[in-house]
Amino acid sequence: MGQDAYVMIATQEAIIASFAWSMLIALVLAIAAGIFASRRFLSKIDAINVTSSAIMQGRLRERIPIEGTSDEMDQLSANLNRLFDSNESLLESLKQVTTNIAHDLRSPLSRLKQGLETSIQAGYSKKAYEKAIGSAIHEADRLLRLSSGLLRIAQVESGSRRKNFKRVQLSQVLERVGEAYRAVAEDQGKGFATSIEPDIQVVGDQDLLVQMFANLVENSIHHTPAHTRISLKLSADKSGILAEVCDSGPGIPAEERKKVFQRFYRLDASRTTSGNGLGLSLVAAVASLHGIEIVLDDNHPGLRTTMKIPAIGRS
């Protein structure tokens, strides 16, 4: 019995010792893991700080390294990188817009100044004065249209017009646009046809939707030669609402199609025609406000502008 008790006590002591060593090893491993995790966490935080500081110093292309572990820190880094990408894109757009505004303002302001300076010269006849004043008024009107266009785009992009959203009979909107521009197209020797399915409704700002489709149709009329065929279409099915403005003109090169929605961007072929390069920018702003997807495609020949519009049903 004494020997059995001794064996039992020895076994208990061995188990306790083994448990103690296991706890000690686990504690050491936990501390080591904690130190490793904290160092990795601090290293990641340091990488975020370094990248943020670099971007604030003007190195906009710097990004936080992604380790590929897909953990929370990697996800945070990826989200911050997307934010940096967005900010870089916005700053580049702002820089381009500022440059374009300065360029577009310089020419009419120079002509306005030159005309006024010439008009005050001695010996100018009444007819010459009237011509100079008329030219100055024309340039002032152009500047006003430019500023009004920019303000309208900014207003739409701010989202403030969303408060005016209500049910709109889109079929009637396109009928009105078609009626307004049919005579304009025919006067220029161009064919104009409509195919508009009735009773299609959307939720939106009616005035802005009219402006969007009017700009697209006017763009097709303005930048195509005589005998061009232009069409305005609207249809709906289970997949949604589809609107199209098509023409058989020269079209837009594939590499230029995304650029034409930028403010002041004009194709080389259109630089000799009137306009300020804001019409399609307003179209893009209105489409974005209404959740409309715009796609520019080749119409073989010409340009096909397709708009996929969120549906709410029919009346």
Side-chain angles (χ1 to χ4, degrees):
M1 291 293 293
Q3 187 175 1
D4 290 343
Y6 174 78
V7 171
M8 185 178 296
I9 292 171
T11 302
Q12 289 177 346
E13 289 177 349
I15 291 173
I16 292 171
S18 176
F19 181 75
W21 277 106
S22 298
M23 289 295 293
L24 180 61
I25 292 171
L27 180 61
V28 170
L29 290 175
I31 292 172
I35 293 172
F36 175 78
S38 64
R39 284 184 176 178
R40 183 176 177 277
F41 177 79
L42 292 174
S43 174
K44 201 68 176 180
I45 293 296
D46 185 58
I48 292 173
N49 284 331
V50 169
T51 304
S52 301
S53 297
I55 290 173
M56 286 188 290
Q57 292 170 11
R59 288 146 54 193
L60 300 179
R61 296 188 181 278
E62 292 288 331
R63 294 296 180 268
I64 303 167
I66 304 294
E67 296 180 357
T69 57
S70 299
D71 60 5
E72 289 81 359
M73 291 304 296
D74 253 13
Q75 292 173 20
L76 174 62
S77 299
N79 288 335
L80 288 173
N81 283 341
R82 282 193 288 270
L83 176 63
F84 295 150
D85 289 340
S86 177
N87 287 343
E88 182 185 4
S89 177
L90 288 172
L91 287 171
E92 286 297 325
S93 297
L94 180 61
K95 180 180 177 181
Q96 186 63 42
V97 168
T98 303
T99 301
N100 289 336
I101 289 175
H103 180 271
D104 275 58
L105 287 178
R106 183 174 57 189
S107 296
L109 283 173
S110 297
R111 289 193 294 268
L112 180 61
K113 181 175 181 291
Q114 182 180 6
L116 292 174
E117 286 176 343
T118 304
S119 67
I120 63 175
Q121 293 178 2
Y124 234 47
S125 65
K126 180 181 178 181
K127 185 176 181 180
Y129 275 122
E130 290 175 349
K131 182 179 179 181
I133 292 172
S135 177
I137 292 173
H138 174 75
E139 296 299 340
D141 285 340
R142 182 179 176 186
L143 290 171
L144 286 172
R145 286 195 299 271
L146 181 65
S147 61
S148 296
L150 287 169
L151 287 172
R152 189 166 177 79
I153 292 171
Q155 181 191 48
V156 174
E157 289 180 337
S158 72
S160 62
R161 294 292 291 265
R162 194 172 281 111
K163 64 184 179 183
N164 298 329
F165 276 20
K166 59 183 179 181
R167 282 180 177 262
V168 176
Q169 268 283 357
L170 190 62
S171 299
Q172 294 179 4
V173 167
L174 267 70
E175 289 285 1
R176 285 172 51 194
V177 172
E179 290 172 6
Y181 283 95
R182 185 185 305 278
V184 177
E186 291 175 351
D187 285 346
Q188 297 184 22
K190 302 170 186 180
F192 190 88
T194 58
S195 176
I196 300 170
E197 198 171 321
D199 302 325
I200 296 178
Q201 292 188 20
V202 296
V203 171
D205 185 310
Q206 180 166 311
D207 291 340
L208 290 180
L209 290 170
V210 169
Q211 183 74 70
M212 181 180 73
F213 285 103
N215 281 13
L216 288 170
V217 172
E218 186 174 330
N219 196 66
S220 287
I221 295 173
H222 195 58
H223 297 292
T224 55
H227 309 299
T228 295
R229 298 182 306 279
I230 300 168
S231 62
L232 177 61
K233 304 176 183 178
L234 179 67
S235 61
D237 56 26
K238 292 181 180 179
S239 63
I241 298 171
L242 206 65
E244 290 184 337
V245 178
C246 307
D247 65 63
S248 59
I252 298 176
E255 64 274 12
E256 302 276 3
R257 288 173 190 163
K258 287 186 178 180
K259 298 178 183 177
V260 296
F261 292 110
Q262 298 174 6
R263 289 175 179 83
F264 300 108
Y265 190 85
R266 304 186 71 190
L267 298 173
D268 290 337
S270 66
R271 292 188 182 278
T272 56
T273 60
S274 60
N276 53 27
L278 294 177
L280 290 181
S281 296
L282 180 59
V283 167
V286 174
S288 177
L289 182 70
H290 289 81
I292 298 172
E293 179 186 354
I294 300 184
V295 179
L296 302 183
D297 285 316
D298 196 331
N299 197 40
H300 304 290
L303 179 69
R304 181 172 70 251
T305 304
T306 303
M307 285 149 284
K308 299 176 182 178
I309 307 170
I312 61 167
R314 293 168 176 262
S315 60

